[in-house]
Amino acid sequence: MSNEAVFETIEEVNKHISHVEESTCVKYISYRVDKRFNDQGWKPQDHKNRLYWEWKYGKGTPSIPFDRVPFMFIGHKLMGCHRGRAKCGIKKRQDLEAQREKDGKEKRNLLLKTKKVACPAVFTISRIVKFPGFKLEKDTSRLRRVMSISIKQALQTDPASVPWKIQYFLKIPSVTDHKGHPIGKVLLYYYHGIYCIGLSLGYISSICADQVDDRVKGYIRALVQQGVRKVKEVKNQMVQYVRTELFRDTTPPPLRRFFPTEKTIHAVMAQVIAEEHYSKIDLVNLLTLAENWKAEAPRINFLLRVQSESENLLLCYQTDWQRRLLRQYGKEVCFLDAAYKRTRFPLPLFFLCVRTNVSVAPVGLFVVQSRSAEALGEALGVFRQWNRGWSPAYILTEHCPVEMKAVEAAFTGAQAVFSDHLRERTWTKWLSNRSRAITNQEGIFDMMKAIAGALTREQHQGAVERLQQSPIWLEKRQLFKNWFTNKWLSEEKRWRNAVRVDIVNFVSVVNGGLEMQSDFFTHNNMKVHKKDTLSQMLQFVVDDYFPPMHQRYTDLNSRSSGEYSLNPTAPPFLWHRPLGVVALVMDNMSAALQDSDIVVEQASDAANGTFRVKSRAESTSGRSYTVSFGSEATWPSCECEVWRDQRLPCEHFCHVFRSEPNWTWEHLCPKYRDHPLLTLHSHTTTEEEIEEALNGLMHLSPASPVSLQWDGPEETVPLVQTPQTPQLQLHSIQTQWVAPQASQGPREREELQRECVAKLKSIMENVSGINDIDHLQELRQKLDVLQAQSETMLDQKDAGVKTVPTPKGKRKRAGVEIIVAMPKRIKVLSQIDVENVQK
């Protein structure tokens, strides 16, 4: 016989079910739940349900006796014994065994293949709504029909006037309903140091993990807060607490809610430790950090808002060198890195990053308390205020709806796109999950990459068709098909090369972009600090994580400047560019020189820089590659895989350079040709040093001469006094290439030095018009170019050139003379090629 019960609230229902589970030592799991059963906002006027006066006809459902009050059914819930029927475990287990056999692993021989024994015991719950205001005074079929019509009319015309209440009717299975497994108190056994009367140890291990009892969870919390960190120690003390405190006079039931597994205990401990990362104890350290940062202002921008009843935690941090990198490289494309996901740090720690010419660099960090779009948007708004005019058009994130919503709301017109590295990392992780039993993972991954890397719509359509004809797509369970269709193909505008804008594809892959992202986004150095408090993690990031990245950026630029700034073996358009760019383009040029059997044909729109490149042997039937130099609005392109993976002049571009003298590097799209990722930059001085140099420039007397000395007759060029201009017009300087030579005579060297005098004088005449720090930095960058080239010239073995000793007052940095305007004179030590002044 089954028992039945009636309750007014769902809390009472759950409490009663827990009591039944404890008394019978059986766990019940959900089999089926109607849509409206858990709808707490349900109202009778929103649904046209049938009215009933009693219920005793449904098989397996609780009976509702006649009490002259009409009611409606809202929904039903069916719960079954955890050792009942298997819903999907058999197919899953068969797939895992097949995968083990394919991997060459030994087949597991289990005494019990599954704990499921098809037990028929079920728990049925019916949720109804009663209308006590329409109770029958006399029971007749005619009055029932009249009352039903009255209720429906009242719900349609004035639903607020209809009183109603919700009730839950339960049908509870009896002990005899359980089949195939022991029930109740059967054996005497030793469990966790306690003699318990209950089920066998094999059955105990098969009981599903239940929610830990609140009293047990509170005791675990107290132990962790006292400093206990070992799971076994917490487990032993917890068992003693359950035996001596919770069940002092009775035998505790062998349920996981009172005796959780070590894995469950570890999860509870991790939650407590995560909450301690931002506690009142760590708040003191955070405030101390803020005071230290405040002392370094304005070199550092920071915002610390502590948690209160009305506001959540918000911390933002950015240094001066990070602001410079953001202005230089982050005008169009930035990265939003959820670093806490890769490092498993409990609090949401994010990095704002940019792709530089030699690496991926962080340009700010922020910590929020909640992982909501509103919290992320507020933090991004702080950086927008710190960097006026900064409004990137594209921000690269991972596939996270919260991050996508936040960045598109924070910047008007911005679009969230997926980082190629993080996208491929997500694909690999999903395919390699053993529970999914995916075979031929490498082949599937290659087909997915082909869809992402397709350059044209035709290539994309072909890649999609190949994937849709593969066995993984056509399999019966459709697991991969549903995942890839719903999650990725629906958002392909954010990750497919054929539809993404050129600037995003360029920033993602140029000069080894994917390898740079892989090195940065792993955050291996931060993983060892995942258990630190928030203040300890911030201290490590600010002092030991950010500075080496900035130093690496500076060193790589300096190294590239020293090795390739004036390399005679490289063509002039590759001078003063990153090492990776020079090496890749030189390899493509070598490949073009070796393959001379190539035909370059002008396309119909050759005037716009479009050519077809193909092999002479296959000129009639072979494949040709369309090469486009681009325009002011469109980027250059090629249909080959090398261009897709590098976004640098490929072998086909080099063939055009050779065969078409009127189409060279200088004719490429200006946005591409002059992009910061393809040029070297030396920002080794701080803003304080720049301001000091500016003070020296401003103290120059307009009528005072500026002398430039070399190993020849000294010439004094008077500085012409000009009216003060509102802005320094640096872009008006025009220069011509001067090819480097092994040696020059005194006359040629003197002529070159006179030209350099004139160029420097044109800069000095407009120094008084500098009123913006960005223009000053641009001026300093141009002077640094001259400085680096001067050092290269000094290294040449030219017997006719002698070095003039450095006078007092002249500063040195890394063994190189800094060419800046001194209060009285500038000394030029050797011949200087000024071709790169514009760049």
Side-chain angles (χ1 to χ4, degrees):
M1 290 290 295
S2 299
N3 299 322
E4 296 185 355
V6 183
F7 298 98
E8 301 293 335
T9 62
I10 190 64
E11 289 78 13
E12 296 177 355
V13 173
N14 295 332
K15 185 177 180 180
H16 184 75
I17 294 175
S18 300
H19 175 71
V20 173
E21 291 177 337
E22 292 179 12
S23 61
T24 59
C25 296
V26 174
K27 171 68 178 176
Y28 291 91
I29 60 176
S30 177
Y31 277 178
R32 183 181 70 251
V33 183
D34 290 345
K35 182 178 180 181
R36 298 171 185 168
F37 182 85
N38 294 320
D39 185 6
Q40 299 302 321
W42 183 90
K43 296 180 180 180
Q45 63 267 23
D46 297 336
H47 306 278
K48 297 181 180 180
N49 293 354
R50 180 180 174 182
L51 283 169
Y52 295 89
W53 298 91
E54 62 178 335
W55 181 259
K56 55 181 179 180
Y57 312 104
K59 184 178 179 180
T61 59
S63 61
I64 303 175
F66 175 71
D67 59 356
R68 299 189 179 184
V69 178
F71 63 89
M72 290 180 181
F73 281 106
I74 302 177
H76 303 275
K77 181 176 182 180
L78 182 64
M79 302 178 67
C81 175
H82 74 104
R83 304 199 71 180
R85 59 182 174 86
K87 294 188 290 185
C88 58
I90 296 178
K91 177 62 177 176
K92 178 179 177 181
R93 186 166 58 256
Q94 291 175 349
D95 294 340
L96 288 177
E97 292 298 338
Q99 181 66 27
R100 289 180 64 87
E101 292 179 3
K102 183 177 180 180
D103 296 340
K105 297 182 179 179
E106 184 180 356
K107 186 177 180 180
R108 296 180 297 178
N109 294 320
L110 302 178
L111 183 62
L112 294 176
K113 297 297 183 181
T114 176
K115 69 178 182 180
K116 302 293 185 180
V117 293
C119 177
V122 291
F123 218 121
T124 310
I125 311 170
S126 296
R127 185 187 182 197
I128 68 171
V129 56
K130 284 196 171 186
F131 303 95
F134 295 86
K135 185 176 181 179
L136 291 174
E137 296 294 337
K138 184 180 179 180
D139 182 23
T140 63
S141 58
R142 178 178 175 278
L143 291 178
R144 286 189 182 188
R145 290 194 299 269
V146 172
M147 195 63 69
S148 299
I149 296 174
S150 301
I151 295 175
K152 293 180 180 180
Q153 290 178 351
L155 290 176
Q156 292 178 359
T157 57
D158 189 10
S161 63
V162 180
W164 54 275
K165 68 175 181 178
I166 292 177
Q167 289 184 339
Y168 294 85
F169 283 77
L170 278 68
K171 187 175 183 180
I172 307 166
S174 64
V175 175
T176 58
D177 292 336
H178 293 270
K179 305 294 181 182
H181 63 94
I183 199 72
K185 302 177 181 179
V186 177
L187 299 175
L188 177 68
Y189 59 90
Y190 190 76
Y191 178 66
H192 286 303
I194 316 168
Y195 282 98
C196 299
I197 296 177
L199 308 177
S200 63
L201 289 178
Y203 178 55
I204 289 297
S205 62
S206 69
I207 294 180
C208 295
D210 193 8
Q211 183 180 3
V212 182
D213 186 84
D214 292 337
R215 295 168 293 179
V216 176
K217 186 182 294 185
Y219 186 75
I220 296 175
R221 281 177 167 273
L223 292 177
V224 175
Q225 292 172 356
Q226 293 173 10
V228 182
R229 291 295 186 268
K230 294 184 178 180
V231 177
K232 290 186 178 295
E233 184 177 353
V234 172
K235 179 179 178 181
N236 294 334
Q237 296 191 37
M238 179 203 67
V239 170
Q240 294 297 326
Y241 168 76
V242 173
R243 182 181 63 177
T244 59
E245 297 293 336
L246 298 185
F247 299 92
R248 182 178 303 175
D249 301 328
T250 60
T251 301
L255 294 177
R256 289 301 187 196
R257 66 177 58 193
F258 300 114
F259 299 102
T261 62
E262 292 186 358
K263 183 178 181 180
T264 305
I265 295 175
H266 181 271
V268 176
M269 295 175 62
Q271 182 180 2
V272 178
I273 294 173
E275 294 173 357
E276 286 185 351
H277 277 72
Y278 184 70
S279 62
K280 294 182 179 179
I281 299 176
D282 194 47
L283 180 59
V284 177
N285 298 329
L286 284 177
L287 295 176
T288 302
L289 273 179
E291 290 296 330
N292 296 337
W293 294 340
K294 186 177 180 180
E296 300 182 32
R299 194 176 64 86
I300 293 177
N301 283 340
F302 74 93
L303 169 66
L304 174 59
R305 187 182 68 198
V306 298
Q307 181 184 4
S308 63
E309 295 182 357
S310 59
E311 294 181 324
N312 291 330
L313 167 70
L314 177 61
L315 188 145
C316 302
Y317 177 91
Q318 189 180 46
T319 63
D320 56 347
W321 63 266
Q322 290 176 327
R323 290 195 298 272
R324 289 199 301 270
L325 291 183
L326 182 61
R327 287 196 300 266
Q328 188 167 0
Y329 296 101
K331 295 179 180 179
E332 295 179 289
V333 182
C334 292
F335 291 84
L336 181 62
D337 174 26
Y340 75 97
K341 294 181 180 179
R342 259 73 67 186
T343 60
R344 296 185 179 180
F345 190 65
L347 291 175
L349 170 64
F350 289 83
F351 289 155
L352 192 62
C353 314
V354 294
R355 169 68 205 286
T356 71
N357 57 347
V358 292
S359 63
V360 176
V363 293
L365 73 83
F366 63 88
V367 180
V368 293
Q369 187 167 346
S370 63
R371 301 173 179 86
S372 63
E374 293 74 15
L376 298 183
E378 182 183 10
L380 293 173
V382 173
F383 287 94
R384 189 176 64 247
Q385 293 177 0
W386 287 348
N387 303 270
R388 294 185 177 179
W390 173 62
S391 182
Y394 305 95
I395 297 184
L396 278 70
T397 68
E398 56 186 310
H399 196 308
C400 178
V402 173
E403 297 177 16
M404 292 154 47
K405 179 181 178 181
V407 299
E408 291 180 350
F411 302 99
T412 303
Q415 181 184 9
V417 293
F418 298 154
S419 165
D420 291 341
H421 167 70
L422 296 179
R423 168 179 51 80
E424 294 180 2
R425 183 176 180 271
T426 304
W427 287 355
T428 303
K429 186 177 180 180
W430 192 93
L431 293 173
S432 60
N433 192 319
R434 294 178 59 86
S435 64
R436 299 187 177 98
I438 303 295
T439 58
N440 190 23
Q441 297 177 13
E442 294 183 359
I444 297 172
F445 182 76
D446 291 339
M447 288 187 287
M448 296 164 68
K449 284 187 62 177
I451 296 175
L455 296 177
T456 63
R457 296 188 181 274
E458 292 75 14
Q459 294 178 1
H460 169 260
Q461 187 63 30
V464 172
E465 291 178 356
R466 285 191 294 271
L467 179 62
Q468 292 177 346
Q469 296 172 1
S470 62
I472 187 66
W473 192 274
L474 301 175
E475 67 178 7
K476 188 174 181 179
R477 60 176 179 168
Q478 297 185 345
L479 179 64
F480 173 82
K481 177 181 178 181
N482 294 335
W483 170 74
F484 194 72
T485 302
N486 299 332
K487 188 170 183 178
W488 295 101
L489 290 182
S490 61
E491 295 284 355
E492 63 179 355
K493 65 178 182 179
R494 303 183 188 273
W495 56 273
R496 186 161 62 89
N497 286 350
V499 295
R500 288 196 312 190
V501 294
D502 292 320
I503 181 63
V504 175
N505 296 329
F506 173 76
V507 171
S508 298
V509 302
V510 71
N511 192 17
L514 291 180
E515 291 77 8
M516 295 178 185
Q517 295 178 47
S518 177
D519 294 339
F520 178 82
F521 289 129
T522 52
H523 300 303
N524 290 327
N525 294 337
M526 292 179 59
K527 291 180 180 179
V528 298
H529 298 272
K530 63 182 179 181
K531 295 184 179 180
D532 290 353
T533 62
L534 178 58
S535 60
Q536 292 172 340
M537 174 61 84
L538 293 175
Q539 190 76 50
F540 166 75
V541 171
V542 170
D543 295 342
D544 301 324
Y545 197 62
F546 281 174
M549 292 186 179
H550 181 221
Q551 186 62 41
R552 181 171 180 268
Y553 165 78
T554 304
D555 293 343
L556 289 177
N557 273 277
S558 299
R559 177 186 171 191
S560 299
S561 177
E563 293 190 19
Y564 279 109
S565 61
L566 287 175
N567 186 356
T569 62
F573 72 84
L574 290 180
W575 291 1
H576 205 66
R577 302 196 183 279
L579 285 174
V581 173
V582 176
L584 291 174
V585 176
M586 292 285 285
D587 291 343
N588 295 334
M589 294 177 66
S590 299
L593 290 174
Q594 295 175 2
D595 189 5
S596 58
D597 192 20
I598 292 295
V599 177
V600 177
E601 299 177 350
Q602 294 185 356
S604 57
D605 54 347
N608 296 327
T610 304
F611 301 88
R612 290 191 179 92
V613 180
K614 57 184 177 181
S615 174
R616 193 183 304 274
E618 301 176 352
S619 59
T620 57
S621 60
R623 177 184 177 182
S624 63
Y625 296 91
T626 302
V627 176
S628 174
F629 277 67
S631 62
E632 292 289 339
T634 60
W635 284 56
S637 63
C638 181
E639 295 178 344
C640 68
E641 295 182 356
V642 175
W643 173 265
R644 181 195 66 190
D645 298 335
Q646 298 179 0
R647 300 289 166 161
L648 291 172
C650 57
E651 180 180 347
H652 307 101
F653 267 105
C654 296
H655 281 300
V656 177
F657 291 164
R658 290 182 56 198
S659 61
E660 300 290 337
N662 295 328
W663 290 96
T664 62
W665 170 271
E666 298 298 329
H667 296 86
L668 290 172
C669 168
K671 293 181 180 180
Y672 172 85
R673 182 187 65 217
D674 301 329
H675 198 277
L677 296 186
L678 298 182
T679 56
L680 289 180
H681 303 279
S682 55
H683 292 294
T684 56
T685 56
T686 63
E687 291 185 0
E688 288 79 2
E689 293 175 331
I690 296 177
E691 291 177 359
E692 180 182 353
L694 177 61
N695 292 332
L697 294 172
M698 293 306 181
H699 284 86
L700 281 173
S701 174
S704 60
V706 178
S707 300
L708 296 101
Q709 297 182 358
W710 55 82
D711 293 340
E714 181 173 319
E715 178 177 349
T716 301
V717 182
L719 194 65
V720 180
Q721 186 173 6
T722 58
Q724 192 171 16
T725 56
Q727 180 173 324
L728 182 61
Q729 302 295 329
L730 294 173
H731 298 288
S732 62
I733 303 176
Q734 300 293 331
T735 59
Q736 298 292 332
W737 272 104
V738 180
Q741 300 178 7
S743 61
Q744 291 180 332
R747 183 171 301 175
E748 290 80 0
R749 185 166 58 252
E750 181 177 349
E751 181 179 355
L752 182 62
Q753 291 169 346
R754 289 179 186 275
E755 183 180 356
C756 180
V757 170
K759 300 303 178 185
L760 289 178
K761 187 187 73 170
S762 66
I763 295 176
M764 295 299 299
E765 289 176 349
N766 295 289
V767 162
S768 60
I770 297 178
N771 58 4
D772 188 280
I773 192 68
D774 291 335
H775 290 97
L776 179 60
Q777 289 177 351
E778 186 177 359
L779 169 62
R780 185 52 182 273
Q781 179 181 345
K782 296 177 185 299
L783 295 177
D784 282 346
V785 172
L786 295 178
Q787 161 196 330
Q789 294 179 346
S790 174
E791 181 187 22
T792 305
M793 289 294 184
L794 279 172
D795 293 337
Q796 294 181 358
K797 297 180 179 180
D798 187 354
V801 178
K802 295 185 294 182
T803 303
V804 178
T806 304
K808 291 184 179 181
K810 195 156 195 176
R811 302 195 304 270
K812 278 192 173 184
R813 184 180 70 244
V816 182
E817 298 287 353
I818 299 179
I819 303 179
V820 295
M822 303 305 292
K824 294 184 179 180
R825 60 202 306 169
I826 299 177
K827 289 182 178 287
V828 178
L829 302 181
S830 67
Q831 56 189 5
I832 298 178
D833 176 13
V834 296
E835 190 278 336
N836 274 336
V837 169
Q838 279 186 318
K839 300 182 180 179

